[in-house]
Amino acid sequence: MKNSIVYRLLARPMRLDELKRALPEMSRQALTEELEALGAAGLILRNKKNRYAQSEHYGCTAATFLATGRAFSFARPDEPRTEGDIFIPPGCDGGAWHGDRVLVQVTQGTRGHKSEGEVVRILERCRGEITGEVMLRNKSYYLHPASTKYPDIVLPKNHLNGAQPGDHVAVQMMFYGERGIPPQGAVTAVLGLEGTMEAAVAGILRENGITLPFSEESERQAAACGDTVDPAEAARRLDLRDKVIFTIDGDDAKDFDDAVSLEILENGHYELGVHIADVSHYVTPGSPLDDEAWRRGTSVYYPGHVIPMLPFALSHGICSLNPDTDRLTFSALMEVDKDGRRYHCRFAKSVIHSKARMTYRNVNRILDGDTALREKYVELVPVFERMAALAEATRKRRMERGALDLDIPEAEIIVDETGMPTDVQYRDRGAAEKLIEEFMLLANEAVAEYLDRRDAPSVFRIHEKPDPDKLRAFAAFARPFGYRVDPGKPQNTRQLQAVLDGAKDDPRQRALPTLLLRSLARARYDAECLGHYGLAARYYLHFTSPIRRYPDLAAHRMLYKAISGQTFTKTDQTFCEEAAGQSTAREFAADTAERDIDKLYLAAYMRQFVGQEFEAEVSGVAPFGLFVALPNSVEGLVRIETLPGDYYEYIEERMELRGQRSGFRYTIGTPLRVKLTAANPVNGQIDFVPAVSE
């Protein structure tokens, strides 16, 4: 909406009549509707003199309200600011709830924060549903929310819908409360008995707007797509069915949305093919399937489960690039040399016939010299070897241009056939995983560059430079280890990579990569190609996973319009802007749900070890205690009152707890032997105390 001519004109205050004179071709009704839309989005304000202007002119900004469960809160501006989040003092929340979009009047900070503010308007309520336990008090029913970020909610008896005290339920808000009248809601679903992990998981999914069943209309449309490729459609496409094309995925993968190929050209270069399931052929704009995909935004994964963005008839059927089967794809065919330089790209709707369903495990074993597997896949072995060499070359070039190697080990929760956690392991990433990653990065960059150079609209993946204050805090942590990070030069990523390289082989520095990751901005989607800081890429978007991400599906649609010579319209631009916002919001919701559910599974796994001692290190510091991480990645809390021998105070600027008498400091990376005292699979809380030396 910031591209609106009305918005741009309001860089200075104007009355409605002035605007009308400046826009004679616009009807008064259309102008009024535009002003109302801009106001509802928090982009403009009208003062007491009936003058409209951009919100920034009046010192206001649109933001997301972030409750803390305490008297104060924060607001995260829609537009990233160097000052970071806005501190909202007690009594200045304007009745906002966690997750609401609000308009904040910003003032200069006075409590150690760069900026403070007051909520002057609630633009949009985020939480339609809240989950928690039904309780009975003084003959009145109320919801005690699972999160302390929300207040108790009155449940009128005629809106209990069969729920009983002790049930874990979802509640639809009817009234958010004002002038001493408490908030009220209606029970919409009973999720299970309070105190069970199943109910807690269902509550987390529900609170984040993640639903399991698809609409009947979308299921019918998916089923109507069939399970075989239409010969007439295949005949209209680039036919690659005779090419050596295959998929490489994890052992337990059920859907395959990308395949690869590599051929040697006459000039000695390679033609690298990245062939992506053509989901856009089946999921058309405005259809029931499209509505479902838009609403979900992304697939959601948690231990032993997946909640797909598309029905299984598509994700595991006609859109899955199964071996020995014709499938429709969108291919990126890139000419690259052996050093990883990209020379030329062409894109085409295609049809392929995958020659093999390979796994990361087997390709890694082949590359490591496994005789039996090399004999079994004798025709593919040379291709795997050339691919591995090319991937290493492209990775080297990416690192030379300043990309960050944030390959932080990722833990995986192993579950048994009943869905209960049995182990926590770090995922191994071999050459096969890395070559697929490199090839997907190449395709994503190629598509983004093609579209942006033609001023074509799309949904781009962007990653902005880190906040200087956060980078300054990281520099302070890295300094004792001999690193000199200049926070004033974030564009110099090599200084950050030097830290990552140095931390690899030193156990004392294990916390540094995680700390650096926390200091970086969060990647998001945008209709403007603003580049990707972490990849040091001028052009970047997501193209390679349309089965599980909506922005990839949007990019496919825009790319097809571009290569087929169609004219882009304002509707396309608006679609990309809205899709970027929706995709970012749904990605955040999915990440939140996955993280919170993982905590439940980790607590369920650790419950068997209550009373045992572990070697740990501090992974976070807060005024109320220390977060510690075990070698298997499990994190828990050591409360400040359990720290022995001294009274500790929190030093915010150094993120440390310091003993007032001893001067002993707990900071990130400090080793600590701890004893597990509690692990709650209902709220994910894991508690430790310092182990007492015998």
Side-chain angles (χ1 to χ4, degrees):
M1 297 182 75
K2 284 195 170 184
N3 291 326
S4 159
I5 188 171
V6 175
Y7 176 80
R8 294 198 301 269
L9 283 171
L10 292 176
R12 66 176 182 84
M14 298 178 72
R15 288 194 176 91
L16 180 60
D17 288 341
E18 291 180 83
L19 272 171
K20 185 67 185 74
R21 286 195 295 271
L23 298 167
E25 72 285 355
M26 200 171 189
S27 71
R28 194 176 188 87
Q29 180 180 347
L31 181 56
T32 301
E33 290 174 354
E34 179 78 3
L35 290 171
E36 289 176 352
L38 290 168
L43 295 176
I44 66 169
L45 278 174
R46 184 176 65 177
N47 66 10
K48 294 179 180 179
K49 296 181 179 180
N50 286 325
R51 291 180 181 271
Y52 297 89
Q54 294 175 9
S55 297
E56 290 81 357
H57 180 82
Y58 296 122
C60 294
T61 186
T64 300
F65 187 79
L66 304 174
T68 63
R70 287 168 278 179
F72 63 89
S73 49
F74 293 89
R76 178 159 298 158
D78 292 353
E79 297 291 335
R81 309 159 72 242
T82 57
E83 297 90 345
D85 293 345
I86 302 164
F87 178 75
I88 307 295
C92 296
D93 59 19
W97 285 29
H98 182 72
D100 289 350
R101 284 197 71 252
V102 296
L103 195 64
V104 177
Q105 181 89 41
V106 184
T107 59
Q108 187 66 33
T110 58
R111 297 170 175 81
H113 300 277
K114 277 195 170 183
S115 58
E116 295 182 11
E118 179 179 0
V119 175
V120 295
R121 184 191 301 172
I122 297 171
L123 301 172
E124 181 181 3
R125 292 288 188 181
C126 177
R127 295 289 183 186
E129 287 188 326
I130 307 291
T131 64
E133 180 182 3
V134 177
M135 304 190 81
L136 180 62
R137 182 172 58 200
N138 298 327
K139 298 184 179 181
S140 295
Y141 293 90
Y142 68 97
L143 179 82
H144 183 62
S147 172
T148 59
K149 295 175 181 178
Y150 305 106
D152 288 349
I153 300 161
V154 172
L155 301 174
K157 289 182 180 179
N158 60 332
H159 289 291
L160 284 171
N161 291 329
Q164 299 294 321
D167 284 344
H168 194 79
V169 300
V171 167
Q172 179 74 39
M173 293 307 302
M174 300 189 299
F175 174 64
Y176 285 87
E178 63 180 23
R179 298 186 182 92
I181 304 174
Q184 297 183 21
V187 174
T188 53
V190 177
L191 305 175
L193 185 64
E194 184 69 24
T196 63
M197 192 170 83
E198 293 77 12
V201 169
I204 290 171
L205 294 173
R206 192 94 181 197
E207 276 206 349
N208 287 282
I210 298 166
T211 54
L212 281 74
F214 288 89
S215 67
E216 292 183 5
E217 295 85 355
S218 65
E219 290 278 20
R220 281 198 295 267
Q221 186 185 355
C225 293
D227 55 8
T228 58
V229 167
D230 177 10
E233 177 60 32
R236 288 191 285 267
R237 293 173 170 246
L238 177 64
D239 194 338
L240 301 175
R241 285 175 287 193
D242 62 336
K243 302 292 184 180
V244 179
I245 296 174
F246 47 84
T247 61
I248 308 178
D249 292 277
D251 285 2
D252 56 353
K254 299 295 189 298
D255 56 67
F256 317 110
D257 56 3
D258 59 81
V260 291
S261 61
L262 191 69
E263 294 185 344
I264 302 175
L265 300 174
E266 291 182 359
N267 61 2
H269 292 173
Y270 293 127
E271 182 176 77
L272 170 64
V274 174
H275 315 276
I276 307 301
D278 188 8
V279 177
S280 63
H281 176 75
Y282 301 99
V283 182
T284 53
S287 65
L289 278 172
D290 189 42
D291 291 343
E292 279 282 355
W294 172 279
R295 182 174 61 82
R296 293 168 183 250
T298 180
S299 296
V300 180
Y301 302 87
Y302 62 96
H305 297 77
V306 59
I307 301 174
M309 184 181 79
L310 297 170
F312 281 91
L314 289 182
S315 61
H316 289 54
I318 191 64
C319 289
S320 184
L321 308 183
N322 301 323
D324 304 316
T325 307
D326 287 358
R327 286 291 184 258
L328 302 182
T329 48
F330 209 150
S331 295
L333 301 165
M334 299 167 281
E335 181 183 344
V336 294
D337 66 17
K338 294 180 180 180
D339 293 326
R341 295 183 184 85
R342 175 163 55 85
Y343 290 87
H344 175 70
C345 301
R346 59 191 176 107
F347 308 100
K349 293 264 189 165
S350 54
V351 56
I352 69 167
H353 191 91
S354 175
K355 300 300 185 289
R357 182 273 201 254
M358 300 301 303
T359 66
Y360 293 131
R361 185 196 304 269
N362 282 347
V363 174
N364 284 328
R365 288 168 61 186
I366 288 169
L367 294 173
D368 289 338
D370 186 295
T371 303
L373 283 173
R374 290 176 73 89
E375 290 179 357
K376 181 178 179 180
Y377 297 103
V378 62
E379 294 183 356
L380 296 179
V381 168
V383 183
F384 296 148
E385 292 176 337
R386 286 192 288 269
M387 282 184 168
L390 176 61
E392 182 58 33
T394 59
R395 180 187 178 280
K396 181 180 178 182
R397 289 186 62 81
R398 185 162 53 82
M399 300 307 296
E400 287 174 348
R401 77 186 185 196
L404 295 174
D405 183 13
L406 289 166
D407 188 15
I408 299 174
E410 184 179 356
E412 179 180 12
I413 302 170
I414 310 299
V415 297
D416 60 19
E417 61 277 1
T418 68
M420 293 307 295
T422 59
D423 199 3
V424 181
Q425 302 174 356
Y426 280 106
R427 288 191 179 96
D428 290 328
R429 293 186 72 253
E433 288 90 344
K434 293 176 181 178
L435 78 84
I436 289 297
E437 179 183 348
E438 289 299 326
F439 294 169
M440 298 304 114
L441 290 174
L442 277 175
N444 288 339
E445 288 188 44
V447 173
E449 182 174 358
Y450 182 89
L451 290 171
D452 191 61
R453 285 185 177 276
R454 288 159 179 78
D455 291 324
S458 191
V459 177
F460 296 94
R461 183 67 167 178
I462 69 168
H463 187 214
E464 288 136 324
K465 291 180 181 179
D467 172 72
D469 283 348
K470 291 183 178 179
L471 200 55
R472 194 171 294 112
F474 173 74
F477 281 113
R479 193 173 299 117
F481 295 98
Y483 301 109
R484 293 292 179 265
V485 175
D486 185 349
K489 297 180 179 179
Q491 69 278 7
N492 179 13
T493 54
R494 287 177 175 78
Q495 62 178 339
L496 304 180
Q497 187 59 47
V499 180
L500 295 172
D501 291 339
K504 286 180 180 178
D505 301 318
D506 187 349
R508 298 173 305 159
Q509 302 181 39
R510 279 185 302 190
L512 288 178
T514 301
L515 282 173
L516 175 57
L517 186 61
R518 292 175 184 172
S519 72
L520 299 180
R522 181 185 174 90
R524 60 185 178 89
Y525 296 103
D526 199 282
E528 188 175 353
C529 188
L530 301 175
H532 196 291
Y533 177 80
L535 295 172
R538 180 178 177 184
Y539 308 98
Y540 198 68
L541 53 63
H542 281 163
F543 168 77
T544 54
S545 294
I547 283 180
R548 63 181 180 89
R549 291 187 306 225
Y550 194 86
D552 303 55
L553 176 58
H556 277 226
R557 291 174 180 167
M558 297 303 108
L559 179 61
Y560 181 64
K561 290 197 75 168
I563 65 173
S564 58
Q566 299 180 49
T567 301
F568 289 101
T569 65
K570 184 179 180 181
T571 301
D572 294 319
Q573 181 64 38
T574 301
F575 163 73
C576 290
E577 291 172 358
E578 294 176 350
Q582 170 71 356
S583 298
T584 298
R586 296 315 305 156
E587 179 187 55
F588 183 79
D591 288 348
T592 300
E594 290 170 358
R595 182 179 62 250
D596 290 348
I597 293 174
D598 280 353
K599 289 179 181 178
L600 305 186
Y601 277 81
L602 290 172
Y605 171 69
M606 291 300 294
R607 188 166 50 174
Q608 63 187 305
F609 303 114
V610 169
Q612 295 187 26
E613 295 184 2
F614 301 89
E615 297 298 334
E617 67 178 32
V618 176
S619 58
V621 184
F624 48 84
L626 305 169
F627 292 97
V628 297
L630 306 188
N632 66 357
S633 82
V634 172
E635 282 193 312
L637 177 65
V638 176
R639 300 182 188 279
I640 192 170
E641 60 267 22
T642 67
L643 296 176
D646 208 338
Y647 176 79
Y648 289 86
E649 61 177 337
Y650 178 58
I651 312 298
E652 183 177 9
E653 61 271 16
R654 298 185 61 85
M655 285 187 65
E656 68 180 26
L657 290 181
R658 182 185 300 166
Q660 289 191 346
R661 294 192 304 272
S662 65
F664 184 81
R665 300 182 303 155
Y666 288 102
T667 187
I668 293 175
T670 301
L672 183 65
R673 186 168 180 81
V674 296
K675 179 180 179 180
L676 178 64
T677 59
N680 188 336
V682 175
N683 60 19
Q685 181 68 45
I686 297 175
D687 291 313
F688 295 99
V689 296
V692 179
S693 301
E694 298 294 338

